[in-house]
Amino acid sequence: MNTTLKKIARGYEAVAVLFLLLLFFSVMIQIIMRNVFHAGSIKLEELARFSLVSLVFLMIPTLTLRKQHIIVDIVLLYLPQKIKRWVSVVTQALVLFFGLYVLWAVATIMQFNWNVRTPALAMPNVVFYIPITLGIVAMVVFSFAGMIASLLNKEVLL
Amino acid sequence: MSGSLVISLFLFLLATGLPIAVSMGLPSALYLIMANIPPSQLIQRMVTSLNSFPMLAVPLFILAAGLMNSSGITERLFEFAKLLVGRMKGGLAQVNIVASLIFSGISGAALADVGGLGNIEIEAMDKQNYPKTHSAAITAASAVIGPIFPPSIPLIIYGAAAETSSMRLLIAGIFPAVIIAMALMVQVGFRARKYNYPRGVEKKYSVSEILTIVKRGLPSMLMPLIMMVGMLSGWFSPTEVAAIAVTYALILSFAYKEMSFRSFFKTCLSTLQSTASVLFIVASAAIFAWVLTVEQLPQQASALMLSISDNPVVLLILANMILLLAGMFLESTAAIMVLTPILLPPLMIAGVNPVHFGLVMVFNLMIGMITPPVGMSVYMLSPIVGLPVGKVFKAVLPFLASLLVALVILTYIPQISLWLPNLIFA
């Protein structure tokens, strides 16, 4: 299972890197167009913003799998190993629950507004929300794997 | 489910080690379920908070700093700082502060300063037999400057939370950062005499040595200058300046021949990790703050603060106390997103400028990065110096004196922050 999770995470990271580069080039081209050709483009700005939203949500599962989320672990540090394990099970379950709620939230938007388009690129919501949905689905899967691993006293690590 | 219950649940979940973003998102989700509010509200708030032009600066500034780090800039900066103040008594301790000030013009985060410069600074101070506790303490304290001097990720996030111009905020950080550096340098000067710190450099530099160091350091030093000129001239927005910084860092990396495709990809990945961990908090904090607003918590806090006093001096003391306390327990992004809508309205009613308060807020929260129990800079430094966290916290304590003096100066002389942005945007 670890190999599959690793491959999924690597795939997400690769796509997120592409979005990062897309964001950078969109802003740079925008600067050149505005300053050299006196023609700014709202499409490029929207593309950069879409890239930012996408890369953030695509990286969330990787942070979950590698336990790189920002946490406050001051209480955890003083807990005995056995309790720490159970706390880890519960926190992974809570992340899972939150992920499921976010997916429900996405589903409710898609139900009525899937065809609403963004102002500049005219991108329908159903496309805009693809990276967000993929990110949250993977977060749910990774937190479930993490929960099972904690229950079995194993580590899911890359 | 009341607002206070949402906050209590957030603090409880935070203490269990749940990711900060989820600790904010989960109580908000429960609130929406119990209040029968459509769940779409949650994802829409989260997405809207990220779908903004100023936020684009966050990954770009992180990428620029990462590229500069990979291109060996830190050593060049350290040598350059040594040239400037290395001859003083306790020279390396002063170099530590000056290098942090220069590095802060490239990076927008305190932890990047600790991670980027920390190793070099501590290794050099070790060679001159500085006590490890002293070198760790100075490194941690000087890293506070990073997010005050532009570029600054916390200031950009505050700008979004307070709906204030991030350009004004970034420019407002220039003089406060210099004041903080000066306060630290004065304290280090006294300590150099008390503990008999050695000079950083014994011999005088020859002209050819000076030219070599300047030549090596100049291209990296130009980066903050390019950003400053770009912003001060009004040619570019902070986001555009960040993109130009990335372009310049890429050019430098290839010019120094220290960047391979592999290291570039690695830098991109670490940029993504830092960006996502910070912006996931921003996204969750957006719905959390909305829930608090629906529950009228900011209005209640505002009324409470104004019932104590409507004098800005008193309110700023109160705000500083709250922020110092919050900084001790909360990660800075989360604290900014939650506390800005609560603290800013009463302060604005009392006549405090939001740009000035942004600087005060970020400085308070950065002090929290070196104070127990959640001082992240200290946690990061502890393995670098090979000392237990507790010892580093104890060693940092004396430096709180100069930082608090600087905080008082910056809090009660708003002109230090506001003079430059007012001059430029008059």
Side-chain angles (χ1 to χ4, degrees):
Chain A
M1 188 169 77
N2 258 4
T3 320
T4 315
L5 295 181
K6 197 193 273 186
K7 277 184 185 165
I8 295 172
R10 292 253 164 94
Y12 273 64
E13 282 175 346
V15 179
V17 169
L18 291 179
F19 273 118
L20 178 66
L21 297 178
L22 188 61
L23 185 161
F24 165 62
F25 285 117
S26 304
V27 178
M28 271 316 287
I29 295 169
Q30 167 85 318
I31 295 171
I32 295 166
M33 284 184 67
R34 194 166 51 81
N35 289 287
V36 180
F37 302 106
H38 304 286
S41 161
I42 49 164
K43 286 186 180 175
L44 281 170
E45 192 199 308
E46 194 176 285
L47 188 61
R49 286 190 276 111
F50 167 65
S51 303
L52 178 68
V53 175
S54 302
L55 72 86
V56 170
F57 277 91
L58 287 172
M59 283 304 290
I60 290 171
T62 308
L63 299 178
T64 307
L65 189 65
R66 294 187 177 156
K67 298 183 175 157
Q68 284 173 328
H69 281 293
I70 302 176
I71 62 164
V72 176
D73 59 357
I74 193 75
V75 178
L76 284 183
L77 290 174
Y78 296 100
L79 291 178
Q81 200 56 38
K82 209 173 171 182
I83 297 178
K84 247 187 220 174
R85 196 181 122 208
W86 285 105
V87 170
S88 170
V89 173
V90 173
T91 51
Q92 298 274 14
L94 292 173
V95 173
L96 178 86
F97 174 77
F98 179 65
L100 289 174
Y101 184 82
V102 176
L103 285 178
W104 180 32
V106 174
T108 52
I109 289 187
M110 289 307 122
Q111 206 175 354
F112 303 106
N113 300 318
W114 67 273
N115 203 18
V116 172
R117 287 164 191 270
T118 57
L121 290 169
M123 189 191 299
N125 258 344
V126 71
V127 176
F128 187 91
Y129 273 84
I130 287 174
I132 297 170
T133 312
L134 287 176
I136 300 298
V137 167
M139 184 182 88
V140 168
V141 172
F142 290 177
S143 56
F144 181 70
M147 195 176 77
I148 299 295
S150 298
L151 274 171
L152 299 174
N153 214 4
K154 285 182 185 171
E155 276 288 299
V156 179
L157 279 179
L158 290 187
Chain B
M1 197 175 182
S2 67
S4 49
L5 192 62
V6 170
I7 288 187
S8 309
L9 191 56
F10 158 62
L11 293 175
F12 172 74
L13 292 174
L14 200 67
T16 63
L18 192 67
I20 296 176
V22 183
S23 303
M24 289 173 145
L26 205 57
S28 313
L30 288 176
Y31 177 86
L32 296 184
I33 292 170
M34 294 176 92
N36 224 2
I37 296 170
S40 53
Q41 190 68 243
L42 178 127
I43 191 70
Q44 276 175 334
R45 295 267 159 198
M46 286 178 83
V47 171
T48 308
S49 66
L50 301 180
N51 195 3
S52 85
F53 191 67
M55 282 295 174
L56 296 175
V58 174
L60 292 175
F61 276 133
I62 297 175
L63 181 60
L67 289 171
M68 291 298 268
N69 258 336
S70 320
S71 63
I73 181 209
T74 37
E75 278 178 40
R76 290 180 172 88
L77 280 184
F78 191 72
E79 283 304 313
F80 190 83
K82 237 164 116 175
L83 176 71
L84 294 177
V85 289
R87 290 266 302 148
M88 292 167 79
K89 196 167 171 60
L92 283 188
Q94 303 287 16
V95 167
N96 196 322
I97 297 163
V98 172
S100 289
L101 183 63
I102 301 171
F103 190 76
S104 66
I106 294 163
S107 149
L111 292 180
D113 186 322
V114 175
L117 277 168
N119 272 316
I120 300 166
E121 289 168 340
I122 285 163
E123 202 182 306
M125 290 171 88
D126 264 359
K127 279 184 192 160
Q128 285 206 343
N129 297 323
Y130 276 80
K132 280 195 169 186
T133 45
H134 289 209
S135 45
I138 296 163
T139 307
S142 63
V144 166
I145 304 167
I148 308 294
F149 197 85
S152 161
I153 289 157
L155 281 176
I156 291 170
I157 289 168
Y158 170 84
E163 294 175 5
T164 303
S165 154
S166 34
M167 179 73 93
R168 274 178 183 265
L169 282 161
L170 291 177
I171 292 170
I174 296 174
F175 285 123
V178 175
I179 298 279
I180 299 165
M182 279 165 59
L184 285 171
M185 286 181 82
V186 169
Q187 187 171 7
V188 163
F190 283 118
R191 283 171 73 93
R193 273 161 192 76
K194 187 177 171 189
Y195 296 104
N196 203 22
Y197 290 160
R199 282 181 195 279
V201 184
E202 284 301 334
K203 63 175 183 65
K204 274 191 176 173
Y205 285 102
S206 68
V207 177
S208 68
E209 279 174 328
I210 293 173
L211 286 176
T212 309
I213 293 170
V214 172
K215 203 174 146 192
R216 268 171 57 84
L218 199 63
S220 335
M221 298 282 300
L222 278 178
M223 171 97 139
L225 198 69
I226 290 169
M227 289 201 263
M228 286 296 102
V229 172
M231 284 195 288
L232 292 175
S233 62
W235 288 339
F236 306 115
S237 68
T239 302
E240 290 172 339
V241 164
I244 288 167
V246 172
T247 310
Y248 184 71
L250 273 173
I251 294 167
L252 269 195
S253 307
F254 288 112
Y256 287 155
K257 292 182 181 149
E258 290 187 43
M259 176 68 71
S260 60
F261 177 76
R262 203 185 166 84
S263 63
F264 174 71
F265 190 75
K266 225 174 140 184
T267 307
C268 285
L269 279 184
S270 87
T271 300
L272 288 169
Q273 282 160 6
S274 308
T275 304
S277 53
V278 169
L279 293 188
F280 186 27
I281 295 176
V282 170
S284 295
I287 181 69
F288 188 75
W290 181 80
V291 168
L292 299 188
T293 310
V294 170
E295 280 297 303
Q296 299 205 317
L297 236 74
Q299 290 89 329
Q300 289 167 21
S302 185
L304 182 71
M305 281 178 78
L306 289 169
S307 71
I308 295 169
S309 170
D310 58 359
N311 183 332
V313 176
V314 178
L315 288 180
L316 279 168
I317 291 176
L318 200 64
N320 274 330
M321 282 161 56
I322 294 169
L323 288 167
L324 280 173
L325 199 69
M328 288 168 73
F329 295 95
L330 270 180
E331 194 274 336
S332 56
T333 310
I336 290 169
M337 293 299 291
V338 172
L339 292 174
T340 302
I342 293 176
L343 295 177
L344 188 59
L347 286 164
M348 280 178 70
I349 290 170
V352 175
N353 186 299
V355 172
H356 169 226
F357 180 63
L359 263 298
V360 172
M361 177 181 242
V362 170
F363 187 26
N364 269 296
L365 297 175
M366 289 308 118
I367 291 175
M369 292 194 79
I370 58 166
T371 52
V374 196
M376 283 165 91
S377 293
V378 172
Y379 280 94
M380 198 170 176
L381 258 175
S382 156
I384 296 175
V385 280
L387 287 173
V389 173
K391 268 197 168 178
V392 184
F393 272 130
K394 206 173 158 191
V396 172
L397 281 180
F399 286 96
L400 287 180
S402 52
L403 291 175
L404 290 176
V405 168
L407 178 64
V408 171
I409 294 172
L410 296 179
T411 304
Y412 292 108
I413 313 177
Q415 287 79 4
I416 296 172
S417 324
L418 298 177
W419 178 76
L420 196 54
N422 283 347
L423 183 79
I424 292 165
F425 300 108

